[in-house]
Amino acid sequence: MKMPQPKQKQVRCSHPSLLTTPSPHALSFKYKQPTPRQLQMALKPNSTANILAPPTRTDLENFPAPLVLPDDDLDLNSEQPAQPFQKWHDIKSRNKVTDGRRTIYVLAPPAVEKADGTDESDCDIGTWTIPRGHGLSESRLSKPSHQDIISYLSAFYTGITVKPLIMPTYALQPSPKTKTPQRGQKYIRLATASQATKSKLNSKSGCIRIRKSPDGIYPYQLNLGDLLNVAMDILPEDAYALCMLTDHDLYEDEEDTFTCGRAYGGRSVCIVSTARYNPLLDKEMGVEREHAWPASHCLAYINSLCELEEQPSLKKRKTTSISASKRTKYNLDRENTEQNPSPLQAAIAAFSASPITETSASLSSLYLSRITRTTSHELGHCLGIAHCTYYACIMQSSASLSEDVRQPPDLCPVDLAKVLFATGGDLKGRYMALLEFCERDESREGPHFAALGAWLRTSLSLKDRQVHGDL
């Protein structure tokens, strides 16, 4: 009889060397980070413009470039236009924060009314938020708190009021099967205090198209465009922006497998779904936790992905091989980490010291960190901020969930200048508010808020000669 072999203890990556330039893969294709002069100029108004830009970070060496790994969005769409501060400021259609419109409202996921058995969907709408095969596991996982998200956004957008939008009538309901917005297509109804929407398809009905999930992760998905139409209809008059949250899975176009969120920046509304960020789905969605930000800058991890890409059997397009000896020139060893760490090095140390566990507290904190990052990103679009091509930045575009978790939770110097100008906040006050959130209580257990806290703490401790803005 063969005796079972003892399980080998998994060796965790120590992230011994970090990469702060674009990956070797990026050097093989079209993406090129702007030059140091272009990065400096992107922070400033034009010399002829009568604008006083807010103090922002000038220690540009502490902000890594985008990684641009295989199939990242900047790899697939490498010619995205850059948006320097002046270009952002000059956007005529940009929503401006005013005395009468300086509140960001956050709308909690709608209540759900149980089906009465007559709906063609033959499913209870309330069960659509539970991923298939994870019903029992869901009971040990707390979904992100509405109030925690508001508290985080209040710190992230210091200077603007962030508060909940309270609606006495706000619920998803089964719809009579005699009414269909499109032949052969099922739908449900989102009941609000005002039923009129601006959608030609759903005019005065509050209809939300639904479909079965193509990959079967969730039973059904709601149409993102229809929900955004409702968001535009219920936008309060004093709102600068409205962020609508939903626990349901979303789709935008028929070609989509799913979508996590979208902003209609010109209309001041955005929507974010919590569904695919559920940590219980990480294996199915191909999300690696060990090399989420800041460990995404681990050189060994980056090289492993680039080497995989270079195998011609795995990709149709031609690649240019980069030798291991050439790779080492992009290696930034973590020297003097304990005595004089950079913000990224401090974040890596905190991340490594707080591994994710399968406890409810750890998974729930991970869940919250993902939603706060995405809501911050989408609301950035409501401020008129385009996708970032300058640095590894929360405003980078993302082509997958695996790329999403590799990106940092905060702003690069260029986009930080835009946010501070729009909100009227100050750099030090903003960092201190975010740090207070990260360290507030045990609900922040886990490596992600620990890493962000270390990044903020180290940034605040940098010498004045390194950072502009009285840090």
Side-chain angles (χ1 to χ4, degrees):
M1 182 175 177
K2 193 173 181 179
M3 297 296 293
Q5 296 296 315
K7 290 185 179 180
Q8 292 185 348
K9 185 177 181 180
Q10 186 177 3
V11 179
R12 297 179 63 241
C13 182
S14 62
H15 322 302
S17 299
L18 308 180
L19 188 75
T20 59
T21 59
S23 73
H25 173 83
L27 302 177
S28 306
F29 292 99
K30 295 180 181 179
Y31 175 79
K32 290 184 180 179
Q33 190 185 28
T35 65
R37 175 172 172 76
Q38 289 172 327
L39 293 171
Q40 288 283 357
M41 296 303 295
L43 295 169
K44 306 173 182 178
N46 293 342
S47 57
T48 57
N50 187 23
I51 307 170
L52 183 62
T56 186
R57 296 286 290 270
T58 57
D59 55 325
L60 305 189
E61 70 279 4
N62 284 320
F63 289 85
L67 292 173
V68 197
L69 294 171
D71 294 327
D72 279 2
D73 197 71
L74 274 174
D75 176 34
L76 302 173
N77 304 285
S78 59
E79 297 180 356
Q80 296 179 39
Q83 189 193 49
F85 176 86
Q86 185 69 55
K87 184 177 180 180
W88 166 82
H89 181 274
D90 292 344
I91 298 173
K92 293 182 179 179
S93 60
R94 177 172 63 86
N95 294 320
K96 297 179 176 62
V97 179
T98 66
D99 290 339
R101 294 174 58 249
R102 57 179 312 106
T103 300
I104 293 175
Y105 285 98
V106 182
L107 186 58
V112 174
E113 295 187 5
K114 193 172 182 179
D116 60 6
T118 62
D119 184 33
E120 287 184 356
S121 67
D122 67 30
C123 282
D124 182 4
I125 301 171
T127 66
W128 298 357
T129 63
I130 302 174
R132 285 179 166 165
H134 293 277
L136 292 177
S137 301
E138 278 280 300
S139 61
R140 65 182 175 89
L141 181 66
S142 297
K143 290 187 176 178
S145 157
H146 185 214
Q147 187 53 55
D148 279 345
I149 294 170
I150 290 172
S151 296
Y152 184 89
L153 293 174
S154 296
F156 193 94
Y157 290 107
T158 297
I160 293 184
T161 300
V162 183
K163 62 183 183 181
L165 177 60
I166 307 300
M167 296 191 65
T169 304
Y170 186 56
L172 288 168
Q173 306 171 333
S175 287
K177 58 183 178 180
T178 54
K179 298 179 182 178
T180 55
Q182 189 169 315
R183 186 174 180 180
Q185 207 164 27
K186 297 177 182 179
Y187 73 106
I188 59 176
R189 186 168 178 253
L190 179 57
T192 65
S194 171
Q195 290 301 330
T197 72
K198 299 178 182 178
S199 165
K200 292 180 180 179
L201 179 65
N202 298 333
S203 178
K204 298 182 180 180
S205 67
C207 292
I208 308 297
R209 285 167 288 176
I210 66 171
R211 71 172 188 182
K212 289 187 176 181
S213 174
D215 60 7
I217 298 292
Y218 287 91
Y220 287 88
Q221 299 175 319
L222 311 186
N223 183 266
L224 179 144
D226 294 344
L227 288 171
L228 282 169
N229 285 329
V230 175
M232 287 186 283
D233 183 58
I234 62 177
L235 184 70
E237 290 186 2
D238 66 336
Y240 176 77
L242 168 62
C243 178
M244 176 189 284
L245 301 172
T246 178
D247 292 331
H248 285 78
D249 202 24
L250 302 177
Y251 76 99
E252 188 168 12
D253 301 314
E254 290 303 321
E255 295 77 17
D256 293 337
T257 303
F258 66 90
T259 186
C260 293
R262 184 77 67 221
Y264 282 3
R267 301 292 183 91
S268 300
V269 296
C270 65
I271 185 167
V272 173
S273 167
T274 67
R276 297 282 169 154
Y277 292 113
N278 189 327
L280 299 179
L281 299 177
D282 283 355
K283 288 185 179 179
E284 289 143 292
M285 302 307 301
V287 175
E288 188 192 340
R289 298 176 185 172
E290 188 175 11
H291 287 97
W293 182 89
S296 52
H297 290 277
C298 170
L299 182 65
Y301 169 67
I302 293 167
N303 282 346
S304 69
L305 293 182
C306 293
E307 288 164 2
L308 185 66
E309 168 71 7
E310 288 166 15
Q311 296 179 26
S313 61
L314 298 180
K315 290 287 178 182
K316 293 182 180 180
R317 65 184 174 186
K318 186 178 179 180
T319 63
T320 302
S321 177
I322 297 179
S323 67
S325 61
K326 190 174 181 181
R327 291 185 199 282
T328 59
K329 68 181 291 187
Y330 308 109
N331 180 349
L332 178 66
D333 289 319
R334 295 186 291 164
E335 298 175 354
N336 303 319
T337 299
E338 294 182 1
Q339 296 179 358
N340 188 28
S342 70
L344 180 60
Q345 290 167 340
I348 286 277
F351 182 90
S352 300
S354 306
I356 295 174
T357 65
E358 294 300 315
T359 64
S360 175
S362 182
L363 293 177
S364 297
S365 177
L366 173 60
Y367 206 167
L368 175 64
S369 72
R370 294 173 177 178
I371 301 305
T372 53
R373 182 174 55 228
T374 302
T375 51
S376 302
H377 174 100
E378 298 301 344
L379 284 167
H381 288 318
C382 291
L383 268 70
I385 302 175
H387 284 141
C388 184
T389 61
Y390 292 110
Y391 297 94
C393 174
I394 194 173
M395 291 309 299
Q396 268 186 263
S397 54
S398 179
S400 65
L401 288 174
S402 56
E403 179 184 5
D404 191 80
V405 301
R406 291 196 293 260
Q407 294 173 353
D410 203 21
L411 299 157
C412 74
V414 179
D415 291 325
L416 177 61
K418 300 170 190 175
V419 167
L420 294 176
F421 185 91
T423 63
D426 72 278
L427 179 55
K428 186 174 182 179
R430 180 179 178 275
Y431 277 7
M432 291 182 70
L434 281 169
L435 181 59
E436 192 275 333
F437 178 92
C438 292
E439 298 178 340
R440 184 173 301 166
D441 54 49
E442 293 181 358
S443 67
R444 314 292 183 260
E445 177 184 324
H448 303 280
F449 288 119
L452 175 57
W455 188 92
L456 293 163
R457 213 166 24 250
T458 307
S459 294
L460 285 165
S461 68
L462 290 173
K463 295 179 181 178
D464 290 345
R465 65 180 176 82
Q466 293 180 292
V467 183
H468 190 61
D470 192 29
L471 280 183

